[in-house]
Amino acid sequence: MNSILKIKISVILVLVVFCFVFFSCDNSIKNGQELFYRAIKDKDTALLRFTKLEDNRFFGQYEIRYNGFQKDSGEVRGIIVGDTIKGSFYYMPYGGGVLKRYPIALLKRKKKLLLGKGVISVYMGIPSFLKGEPIDYSNPEFVFEEVKKYKKNPSQPR
């Protein structure tokens, strides 16, 4: 009887620890600010959803739809410094292939995010913007505007 009681106590302790970890992780996301952005340029659309954490880090999803059919989609994460958002975009390109990583830089201007362009260097297989070279926001590929929320797939009802 003693061994059965010990097993029950062990199972309860494991469940309590699991619940504690699960709910504390959930609270850290809830404490973050979730933001939704959309950019349209010609026939291309970019969707960006990210959560800004208290320590100015962010993580989220980024999707680029080319001509309404092809898309590159994956996750973004990085850091926010002042009005600049810098990070990496990890995505699976349209048509398959291997997971790719691409640096991104966004500049916040008047409630909009401008996607910057810069010189990219690759060190040990990790692409990043070259230090010392400026990132150009004057002619952005996408200008993101904040939206309430967007649907994952426009053809599906919310």
Side-chain angles (χ1 to χ4, degrees), residues 9-104:
I9 291 173
S10 298
V11 169
I12 290 172
L13 285 174
V14 168
L15 288 173
V16 168
V17 169
F18 175 77
C19 289
F20 177 74
V21 170
F22 178 76
F23 289 114
S24 66
C25 290
D26 190 39
N27 282 341
S28 69
I29 293 173
K30 285 182 182 177
N31 290 339
Q33 179 183 9
E34 192 171 35
L35 302 165
F36 296 87
Y37 289 90
R38 180 179 58 203
I40 300 172
K41 183 175 185 181
D42 300 325
K43 293 183 179 182
D44 300 337
T45 303
L47 304 170
L48 175 65
R49 176 193 59 80
F50 68 90
T51 301
K52 177 184 175 188
L53 300 175
E54 291 175 356
D55 60 354
N56 287 334
R57 290 179 301 128
F58 74 93
F59 68 94
Q61 297 294 313
Y62 183 38
E63 182 177 293
I64 306 169
R65 297 177 186 168
Y66 303 101
N67 202 15
F69 299 105
Q70 306 167 339
K71 71 177 181 177
D72 293 336
S73 63
E75 65 179 50
V76 290
R77 62 178 169 241
I79 191 162
I80 301 170
V81 180
D83 59 355
T84 306
I85 301 169
K86 287 187 178 180
S88 292
F89 175 37
Y90 302 88
Y91 69 99
M92 184 65 68
Y94 176 76
V98 297
L99 188 65
K100 293 188 177 190
R101 181 176 178 173
Y102 192 80
I104 61 166

Side-chain angles (χ1 to χ4, degrees), residues 41 114-117 136-143:
K41 183 175 185 181
L114 310 176
L115 182 63
K117 299 174 188 170
D136 181 22
Y137 298 99
S138 62
N139 188 19
E141 183 177 357
F142 287 111
V143 178

Side-chain angles (χ1 to χ4, degrees), residues 101-152:
R101 181 176 178 173
Y102 192 80
I104 61 166
L106 299 157
L107 181 66
K108 189 168 189 172
R109 293 288 167 164
K110 299 179 182 176
K111 295 189 176 190
K112 294 184 180 186
L113 296 177
L114 310 176
L115 182 63
K117 299 174 188 170
V119 178
I120 298 174
S121 71
V122 179
Y123 179 69
M124 295 182 68
I126 300 173
S128 62
F129 289 112
L130 189 61
K131 291 186 181 198
E133 291 291 324
I135 297 174
D136 181 22
Y137 298 99
S138 62
N139 188 19
E141 183 177 357
F142 287 111
V143 178
F144 290 89
E145 295 185 14
E146 191 170 356
V147 294
K148 294 285 184 196
K149 273 193 174 183
Y150 58 81
K151 295 179 184 178
K152 184 73 175 166

